[in-house]
Amino acid sequence: MKLKLHWQIFIAMALGAVFALVLGEKALIAAPLGTIFMRLLKMIIVPLILTSITSGVAGLGDPRTLGRVGIKTFGYYLLSSMIAILIGLALTNLIQPGAGARVPDTVEEFDLSQLQQPDSLGNILIRMIPTNPVKAAAEGDILGLIFFSIIFGFAITQLKGKPHDFLVNLFDNSFQAMMKLTHAIIRLAPIGVFGLISNAVATAGFDLFKAVGMYMITIASGLTIHFVIVLPLLLFLFTGENPLKHARAMMSAMATAFSTSSSGATLPVTMDSIENNVGVSNKVTSFVLPLGATINMDGTALYECAGVLFIAQAIPGIDLSFSAQVVVVITAFLASVGAAAVPSAGLIMIFIVLNAVGLGDHPTAALLVGTMLAVDRPLDMYRTVVNVTSDSVGTVIVAKSEGETNLYQNV
Ligand code: ASP
């Protein structure tokens, strides 16, 4: 009997971890396997998004359907992210992880100039409109590419006769070809995941984890509540579907999110699982998933809120008032929308939230962010799983509300 792909991936994860624990630094020899897998996934993102959204939106037909699906989609993003943030807020106030935190001597002040600076919030919205769609695609500006694909798909719906049919067929068929390619690449996931996990374990600095243990426990607990209780509950309440079936259908996507720490790189796998295992139409999948991977990040939203409260707690003499915490909640949401779907993006965006409450230039804050960066990998892996799972739940909710009932037949 052939082992299901997600079991193959889980076994590869375990083997990767053991491999790194036994061989230590020598395990880095397997790192190229992970790099190759990541490159293959990234390679297909741009053509996949262009063809799937264009054919999906062209297939939605009239603007009213597009508007309706759009409103439901954004409504879900807002709801699920806000719940996540409130969980982060409550837990951080309850556990007070910052109270006993210490910055280890080995940590250097976080040098902001090393990183790409986060955009201002207004710019994130304006940036959605690309000045040149080809440049947007070339530079991996996914939001710009999505915007262009949506309006291009919409323009196709306005054509009639042969030109309309030609373009619809062209994008539909190109999309099918991209999905075939995606499927082939996903078959390599166990090998790639082995390389990614052994690399992550071999380069982890375990000492630091102890210094900020409570911080890590707080974030991990919040993510767990959202992942194990809130998202399954949302799925069940809005669709009546069995969350366990959903988990089974999305297993490969979750495992890929965990290993790559990138919702963007995981997107091809998420789309494959949602279309082939859950059975959602391309129309809904192609609208909700790429957009979700880019702007709907529940795990990141929770992290932004909890992370900033942790920093505030750890700095002596700082006590965030109720209104400052409201500011944290709102900016945490916007920062999660603006965070790129790549590893550690959430940590970079934390400066937006820190700035909003006046802590952006505080030297201790920079030291704390340095520490958080050193231990970010496992948290990043987990929040990416939560981000991807939330996108998949949202897709099923929208699909069901659009009358798609025959779901989960293949799990
Ligand atoms: N790595 C996360 C993702 O791609 C973003 C983050 O750093 O929070 O979903």
Side-chain angles (χ1 to χ4, degrees):
M1 194 190 79
K2 204 168 162 285
L3 215 52
K4 280 233 160 90
L5 181 69
H6 58 258
W7 288 118
Q8 293 180 27
I9 300 178
F10 287 134
I11 292 171
M13 277 179 172
L15 289 178
V18 172
F19 183 69
L21 289 173
V22 172
L23 289 190
E25 297 242 311
K26 288 207 194 87
L28 291 179
I29 193 172
L33 295 175
T35 313
I36 291 172
F37 179 56
M38 278 288 256
R39 289 186 73 100
L40 285 169
L41 285 175
K42 287 185 181 165
M43 175 185 82
I44 50 178
I45 292 175
V46 166
L48 188 63
I49 288 184
L50 178 70
T51 55
S52 79
I53 298 191
T54 308
S55 71
V57 172
L60 280 175
D62 73 304
R64 262 176 305 157
T65 317
L66 185 60
R68 199 179 57 230
V69 172
I71 288 173
K72 287 180 198 166
T73 306
F74 285 104
Y76 170 79
Y77 293 165
L78 186 64
L79 175 73
S80 65
S81 297
M82 273 301 166
I83 296 176
I85 292 175
L86 294 178
I87 293 173
L89 183 79
L91 277 188
T92 325
N93 278 313
L94 204 73
I95 301 179
Q96 296 279 328
R102 61 182 176 85
V103 179
D105 306 336
T106 47
V107 170
E108 288 175 17
E109 195 164 310
F110 188 73
D111 179 9
L112 265 179
S113 60
Q114 289 172 6
L115 289 172
Q116 187 197 347
Q117 290 285 316
D119 244 342
S120 80
L121 296 171
N123 263 349
I124 290 170
L125 294 177
I126 295 174
R127 220 167 23 105
M128 271 188 72
I129 306 171
T131 49
N132 176 347
V134 179
K135 185 159 167 259
E139 290 178 349
D141 165 14
I142 300 300
L143 220 47
L145 183 64
I146 290 175
F147 182 83
F148 176 77
S149 307
I150 291 175
I151 54 169
F152 183 49
F154 181 67
I156 293 177
T157 65
Q158 304 299 301
L159 297 174
K160 293 200 172 55
K162 261 198 186 156
H164 171 266
D165 297 348
F166 171 77
L167 283 174
V168 167
N169 284 334
L170 178 70
F171 279 92
D172 263 355
N173 294 335
S174 306
F175 173 63
Q176 300 302 337
M178 285 313 303
M179 283 310 274
K180 283 263 181 276
L181 197 53
T182 302
H183 212 71
I185 293 172
I186 292 172
R187 300 258 288 279
L188 301 174
I191 301 173
V193 162
F194 175 84
L196 290 167
I197 294 287
S198 58
N199 186 27
V201 174
T203 51
F206 287 105
D207 285 354
L208 273 177
F209 290 161
K210 284 186 225 137
V212 282
M214 278 323 269
Y215 151 78
M216 299 195 67
I217 289 173
T218 309
I219 306 257
S221 315
L223 291 173
T224 305
I225 293 173
H226 197 68
F227 182 57
V228 179
I229 301 174
V230 176
L231 291 177
L233 209 58
L234 286 177
L235 180 78
F236 181 71
L237 290 179
F238 282 106
T239 68
E241 297 288 354
N242 180 348
L244 285 177
K245 272 193 183 171
H246 185 76
R248 217 174 307 137
M250 298 310 297
M251 214 65 108
S252 299
M254 290 177 195
T256 309
F258 186 77
S259 322
T260 60
S261 286
S262 164
S263 320
T266 310
L267 179 63
V269 189
T270 323
M271 290 184 75
D272 185 73
S273 303
I274 278 281
E275 292 207 9
N276 295 328
N277 300 347
V278 182
V280 174
S281 70
N282 171 40
K283 281 192 318 205
V284 172
T285 306
S286 67
F287 185 78
V288 187
L289 272 188
L291 206 57
T294 320
I295 66 175
N296 177 48
M297 298 196 181
D298 294 8
T300 307
L302 185 151
Y303 176 77
E304 302 297 335
C305 174
V308 168
L309 293 186
F310 161 74
I311 292 174
Q313 288 169 1
I315 301 178
I318 302 266
D319 196 9
L320 289 187
S321 63
F322 178 74
S323 59
Q325 298 210 13
V326 173
V327 172
V328 170
V329 168
I330 296 169
T331 37
F333 173 68
L334 295 171
S336 75
V337 169
V342 299
S344 278
L347 189 72
I348 298 164
M349 294 307 280
I350 221 163
F351 282 98
I352 285 198
V353 191
L354 281 174
N355 280 338
V357 287
L359 291 176
D361 297 323
H362 201 290
T364 313
L367 268 175
L368 284 162
V369 174
T371 318
M372 288 156 78
L373 184 68
V375 298
D376 194 46
R377 184 68 193 198
L379 293 180
D380 193 11
M381 293 163 114
Y382 197 6
R383 54 179 196 261
T384 309
V385 173
V386 175
N387 291 347
V388 166
T389 307
S390 171
D391 297 338
S392 70
V393 167
T395 312
V396 177
I397 291 177
V398 174
K400 199 78 193 250
S401 75
E402 285 294 302
E404 295 183 22
T405 47
N406 224 4
L407 304 177
Y408 302 102
Q409 302 298 320
N410 300 331
V411 281

